[in-house]
Amino acid sequence: MILIVGASGCLGSAVSRRLLARRLPVRVASRRPASLAGLRACGAEVRLLDLAREDMLTPACEGVTTVFAAAHALLGRGAHRSEVVDRDGHLALIEAARAAGVRRFVYTSVLRASPDHPVDFWRTKSLVEQALKSSGMEFTILRPSAFMDIHAHRLIGRAILTGRRVQLMGPGTKRRNFVAVDDVAGFAIRAITGDELTGRALDIGGPENHSSLEVASVYGELSGRPVRVSRLPTWLLRTLAPVCASLHPGLARLFAMHALADEAFDETFDPTALLAEFPGRLTTLREFVGAQVVRAPTH
Ligand SMILES: NC(=O)c1ccc[n+]([C@@H]2O[C@H](COP(=O)([O-])OP(=O)(O)OC[C@H]3O[C@@H](n4cnc5c(N)ncnc54)[C@H](OP(=O)(O)O)[C@@H]3O)[C@@H](O)[C@H]2O)c1
């Protein structure tokens, strides 16, 4: 049995669908099991799971051979703030999996996770990576860059395709790497079902780096729709971050991240080594946007 934590999310659902298509036994978990009806219809066992609830972790791991962890609470607050879910919840999940006899644990971290990263979320990912490495279980750590499906489409392109104004945080000129979730899911499937990635931490990114303004302009060009952009200035993000820190730490983190100087927080990726080791195609931004444009409503 393969347990997917974060099965309602962008990556978790893509990986769940691929495993189910191979007719593998899959247990999908979420705080909102009703959101997993589609995966249930494809044959998945559905489980209520909240990483903030330690008592739910051991039962979820019973009879499981492999855990795929694809949950996060970057924007969480209160009982579901990042420290509770991303740090304590994941450390407890690793321990519950080990104690339940899980053989393999595949963890989704993030590109450039490190103990001295300027953003706490990246430090947390690094801490969990270390705990997994010393757990004794077979492990793979996936370290993807920003998902096109979220950071290019949901946060930029969708507004353009539906005639709304794009709201950017900061000037929108910082170059970042974007990777298609489908490409990340391909590596996750290799890690879950094969042995070639066991014991590895793999940096994963798309073929190019782009700024948010470039992403917006590709959407405009390929859809033929006007691009209207508003920007929250960096000084305002810097002011807002400490103001909302106690009320909404997730939002404060987002403001602080976007207020950081480009050089403080490199988000680019060079795919040369990845492509040399895994020859094949990585989805380009234009290919990805082209597919979104075809799917977009015409009125
Ligand atoms: N998005 C990116 O650009 C990006 C880039 C690099 C790495 N990653 C990593 O890739 C993984 C997947 O990200 P994603 O963007 O696909 O996620 P997503 O679409 O934002 O979905 C988040 C998932 O986390 C689950 N979750 C949140 N809090 C939870 C809790 N307390 N207990 C159990 N589940 C909880 C949610 O499930 P419910 O709400 O249904 O409970 C949901 O399935 C994450 O580890 C993320 O850090 C993402």
Side-chain angles (χ1 to χ4, degrees):
M1 176 65 79
I2 303 163
L3 171 67
I4 312 286
V5 180
S8 62
C10 213
L11 178 62
S13 59
V15 170
S16 301
R17 281 194 301 272
R18 288 188 185 209
L19 293 171
L20 290 164
R22 292 185 180 202
R23 301 193 179 284
L24 291 167
V26 175
R27 181 179 295 162
V28 291
S30 162
R31 287 167 299 172
R32 299 165 292 119
S35 68
L36 302 176
L39 294 174
R40 187 199 296 273
C42 295
E45 179 191 315
V46 172
R47 187 65 68 104
L48 168 69
L49 178 79
D50 183 346
L51 283 160
R53 291 272 310 271
E54 212 172 325
D55 58 310
M56 290 184 171
L57 304 181
T58 299
C61 290
E62 270 160 17
V64 167
T65 51
T66 301
V67 172
F68 177 56
H72 76 100
L74 176 75
L75 297 178
R77 62 173 162 164
H80 292 113
R81 62 193 182 279
S82 178
E83 302 92 287
V84 174
V85 176
D86 298 320
R87 186 190 61 201
D88 302 345
H90 278 78
L91 294 177
L93 177 65
I94 290 169
E95 179 47 29
R98 189 202 59 74
V102 167
R103 191 165 55 86
R104 176 172 297 187
F105 195 115
V106 178
Y107 173 58
T108 317
S109 181
V110 64
L111 188 66
R112 293 210 178 79
S114 81
D116 52 6
H117 196 282
V119 182
D120 59 352
F121 184 75
W122 273 251
R123 298 195 296 273
T124 297
K125 290 284 197 184
S126 168
L127 183 87
V128 175
E129 287 185 5
Q130 295 313 316
L132 178 57
K133 284 178 182 171
S134 49
S135 70
M137 289 182 284
E138 292 179 4
F139 71 86
T140 302
I141 294 161
L142 306 174
R143 288 192 188 136
S145 63
F147 295 171
M148 287 180 191
D149 310 63
I150 294 184
H151 295 271
H153 188 66
R154 203 178 291 172
L155 299 179
I156 299 175
R158 202 153 66 178
I160 295 166
L161 298 183
T162 53
R164 290 177 292 120
R165 186 176 281 277
V166 179
Q167 180 66 66
L168 296 181
M169 296 210 187
T173 50
K174 181 182 183 181
R175 291 172 72 77
R176 308 184 267 161
N177 188 270
F178 295 88
V179 65
V181 161
D182 266 350
D183 293 344
V184 183
F187 288 104
I189 295 295
R190 283 173 184 249
I192 292 167
T193 61
D195 294 329
E196 62 189 326
L197 292 177
T198 303
R200 299 269 311 267
L202 186 71
D203 291 349
I204 302 170
E208 314 128 352
N209 302 304
H210 295 280
S211 70
S212 296
L213 289 176
E214 286 167 0
V215 170
S217 116
V218 171
Y219 270 91
E221 182 194 329
L222 297 188
S223 68
R225 296 186 184 223
V227 176
R228 294 177 299 130
V229 175
S230 298
R231 303 173 179 86
L232 280 179
T234 305
W235 67 262
L236 183 58
L237 297 171
R238 235 175 246 141
T239 311
L240 288 173
V243 172
C244 56
S246 56
L247 212 58
H248 198 317
L251 203 55
R253 176 176 300 106
L254 196 68
F255 292 150
M257 274 166 59
H258 285 278
L260 277 171
D262 292 5
E263 58 275 14
F265 179 18
D266 183 4
E267 294 182 86
T268 62
F269 177 71
D270 176 354
T272 310
L274 184 69
L275 286 169
E277 186 176 359
F278 303 98
R281 298 261 307 108
L282 288 171
T283 310
T284 66
L285 181 71
R286 294 183 80 82
E287 286 166 344
F288 174 83
V289 174
Q292 305 307 316
V293 169
V294 168
R295 263 186 237 144
T298 49
H299 54 276

